[in-house]
Amino acid sequence: MATRAGIRLTHGRSPLLAASESSSRPPPVPCLPLSKPKPYRRHMLVPLWRPLAPRSSPGPSSSYRTGFSSPVASMSSSSYEKELAAAKKAAPLAARLCQTVQKALLKSDIQSKEDKSPVTVADYGSQAIVSLVLKMELPSEKFSLVAEEDSADLQKDESQETLRRITDLVNDTFSSDGTYSISVSEEDVLVAIDSGKSEGGPHGRHWVLDPIDGTKGFLRGDQYAIALALLDEGRVVLGVLACPNLPFTSIANLDGHSSENQTGCLFSAQTGCGAYMQLLHEPSAAKISVCATENPADASFFESYEAAHSLHDLSGAIAKKLGVQAPPVRIDSQAKYGALARGDGAIYLRFPHKGYREKIWDHAAGSIVVTEAGGIASDAAGNNLDFSKGRYLDLDTGIIVTNKKLMPSVLNAVQEAIREQTQSASLL
C-alpha cells in the first residue's frame, strides 16, 4: 500500500465498491404513499406543478419534468415522516432570512472567526431559526444539534449591536412568514444558537446543520446552501438542502433564459425513499436521479469555487487521466451535491489542503441527497463516508461523488494521481 502524509491508500477492491456491487441490500425504510410521477424534461423552463399535498407534507406531491423517468412504488408511512417535515419547514425559513441579508449586505454584517473565515449575521440567524423551528415542530423528541456556529463572539460587548440585528432578523422572518406566532429575545437567540454544541457520535439521533454552507459564495452573491441532516445511530437518514440561488434548470446548460422566479431549489431525501427537488418556497416536489453517463470522456465534473477549499491541480490531473473533455464547473457549497443529484454533472471531486479536517455538516445532507438519487460518495480509498465519529469526518485524502458506473474508473484515476503527486513531492 502507498501512503501520503501518513494516510493509507488501499489497493484492490474498495469496501464501497464491493458493497455497491452486492446484490443483497437491507430493506429500505418505508415511505409515505406516493403518486406515480410523470416523466420530466430537464431543460424545460416552466415545470408543470400539480400540488396534491399541503405545504407541511414531507412527501413528494407532484411531478417535475426531466430527462429521467423515475417511477415511484407505493410505500407505507416512514419512521422519519415528522422529522423530514420539520426539516423542510426549517431550512426554507432560514433561507428567507439569508435572502433578506444577501440583498442588502452591510460590512457591519460580516465578522471573522478565530480561523479567519467569514461569518455573517445570516449564519447566526439561520442557525437560530433552524434550532427554534425543529424544537417547535418536534417538542416531544430529545434535541441534539451538531452545528457550525456558537454564540461566544456575540456575547462580547462590541457585538451587542450585531446581536440586536440578528434578533430583529429572526423576528422579522417569523413574522413575515406567518407560520409561527413567536417573538424571541436576544437571550433566546443566544440559547438557540448554542443548541448546536452537540458532539454527535454513533448513538442516538443528532441533527447536523451548516446554517450557510458556502459563506464566501454568499458574500459574493453566488451559490450557498442551508444544509440540514439527521443522524440516527451514526447513519445519515435524511437530508435537506435549501439552495436559494441555484437555478431550477440545469446549471450545465443554462441558455440565458432562466428568470428570477425559476431560481431557488429545495432538495430532500430520506433513506430508502429516493431524492426529490422542488422550488424553494413551493410545496410540489419531484423525484430526481443522477446522470447515467458511463464514459468518463462524456462526463463533466464539479469542484469547489475557492482554490483554498480544494486542490484544483489534483482534480485537473484526475480529469486528464479520465479523458474528461468539459472544463470543471466551479460553484460554492453543497449546491454541488444537489446539482449532481439531478444530473447536471457526473463527478464531484474535493481534495482539501494538507491538515484540513472535513466537518460532518459540510457533507451530511448533500451525501444522502446524492446517494438516494442513485449516486455514490466515498473517500479516496473507496470507503463510505462515516458520520459517526463526532463533529469531524475521518477519511482518506479527499471526497469523490459520482454515479455507480463511473466510480471504479474515477477511483482508479484518483489513486493513480495521488500516488504520482506523492512520488513527485518526495523527489523535491
Side-chain angles (χ1 to χ4, degrees):
M1 65 180 67
T3 63
R4 178 176 181 262
I7 301 175
R8 294 191 299 174
L9 293 176
T10 57
H11 302 287
R13 285 164 59 86
S14 74
L16 183 66
L17 294 179
S20 70
E21 295 168 1
S22 172
S23 59
S24 60
R25 298 180 62 189
V29 176
C31 309
L32 291 171
L34 307 176
S35 58
K36 183 177 179 181
K38 297 179 180 178
Y40 156 100
R41 299 184 186 90
R42 181 184 308 162
H43 306 306
M44 189 171 183
L45 290 177
V46 182
L48 302 181
W49 300 112
R50 181 183 296 173
L52 301 178
R55 186 183 184 91
S56 61
S57 172
S61 58
S62 76
S63 58
Y64 173 73
R65 297 189 173 272
T66 185
F68 305 108
S69 176
S70 304
V72 181
S74 295
M75 306 174 190
S76 60
S77 179
S78 165
S79 60
Y80 303 110
E81 175 184 340
K82 292 187 300 181
E83 289 79 6
L84 184 59
K88 290 181 71 174
K89 290 180 179 179
L93 192 57
R96 284 186 186 275
L97 182 148
C98 296
Q99 288 173 302
T100 298
V101 174
Q102 193 180 52
K103 287 177 181 177
L105 194 64
L106 305 173
K107 287 185 178 180
S108 60
D109 290 336
I110 306 168
Q111 297 180 325
S112 290
K113 294 189 284 189
E114 289 183 2
D115 63 1
K116 304 304 180 183
S117 61
V119 60
T120 71
V121 294
D123 292 82
Y124 291 122
S126 173
Q127 185 158 316
I129 280 183
V130 170
S131 174
L132 290 164
V133 170
L134 291 178
K135 288 179 180 178
M136 288 187 289
E137 290 292 327
L138 305 166
S140 62
E141 295 190 10
K142 181 179 179 181
F143 186 73
S144 173
L145 176 65
V146 185
E148 183 170 14
E149 309 302 343
D150 64 60
S151 73
D153 289 338
L154 293 177
Q155 298 190 48
K156 298 176 181 177
D157 290 340
E158 61 268 27
S159 298
Q160 293 312 295
E161 179 58 35
T162 299
L163 176 57
R164 282 192 288 273
R165 174 155 167 73
I166 295 166
T167 304
D168 289 343
L169 282 166
V170 170
N171 281 319
D172 289 347
T173 302
F174 279 127
S175 177
S176 63
D177 176 71
T179 302
Y180 305 96
S181 298
I182 179 176
S183 178
V184 298
S185 66
E186 292 174 9
E187 181 63 27
D188 293 331
V189 168
L190 293 175
V191 170
I193 292 170
D194 283 339
S195 295
K197 289 184 175 180
S198 171
E199 292 297 317
H203 304 298
R205 290 187 177 186
H206 307 280
W207 290 98
V208 179
L209 170 69
D210 194 334
I212 295 185
D213 184 37
T215 302
K216 290 185 177 179
F218 175 81
L219 295 176
R220 289 195 313 271
D222 290 337
Q223 297 302 327
Y224 66 98
I226 293 85
L228 179 61
L230 178 63
L231 300 182
D232 193 352
E233 300 300 313
R235 188 171 59 99
V236 184
V237 294
L238 68 84
V240 171
L241 292 174
C243 305
N245 290 343
L246 188 67
F248 201 54
T249 51
S250 172
I251 60 174
N253 296 281
L254 286 177
D255 56 10
H257 297 294
S258 181
S259 58
E260 288 186 5
N261 64 350
Q262 293 298 317
T263 298
C265 302
L266 180 67
F267 298 92
S268 60
Q270 59 177 314
T271 183
C273 298
Y276 297 83
M277 183 180 76
Q278 63 200 77
L279 281 167
L280 182 57
H281 300 300
E282 296 292 336
S284 302
K287 197 168 188 181
I288 55 175
S289 177
V290 297
C291 76
T293 302
E294 298 183 42
N295 184 357
D298 297 331
S300 60
F301 73 96
F302 296 113
E303 62 181 0
S304 298
Y305 182 93
E306 297 281 345
H309 293 169
S310 187
L311 299 172
H312 288 173
D313 56 342
L314 179 57
S315 296
I318 294 165
K320 186 175 181 180
K321 286 182 177 294
L322 291 168
V324 173
Q325 302 297 313
V329 178
R330 292 174 178 166
I331 61 174
D332 301 282
S333 82
Q334 290 178 69
K336 292 184 287 290
Y337 278 103
L340 192 146
R342 70 182 184 186
D344 290 6
I347 304 167
Y348 167 33
L349 302 174
R350 179 179 169 94
F351 299 99
H353 291 265
K354 183 179 178 181
Y356 180 82
R357 296 182 70 189
E358 294 280 7
K359 288 89 169 178
I360 62 173
W361 52 74
D362 286 326
H363 301 282
S367 65
I368 192 170
V369 169
V370 164
T371 56
E372 286 299 315
I376 193 167
S378 81
D379 67 11
N383 301 306
N384 283 299
L385 303 184
D386 186 354
F387 295 92
S388 70
K389 304 296 185 181
R391 297 171 74 87
Y392 294 93
L393 283 172
D394 288 331
L395 48 78
D396 188 329
T397 308
I399 292 176
I400 309 163
V401 186
T402 186
N403 65 40
K404 294 177 182 178
K405 294 177 181 178
L406 282 175
M407 180 57 94
S409 55
V410 174
L411 187 58
N412 288 336
V414 166
Q415 295 183 350
E416 285 181 13
I418 290 175
R419 284 195 296 270
E420 290 174 1
Q421 188 180 73
T422 303
Q423 290 167 1
S424 297
S426 67
L427 297 176
L428 298 177

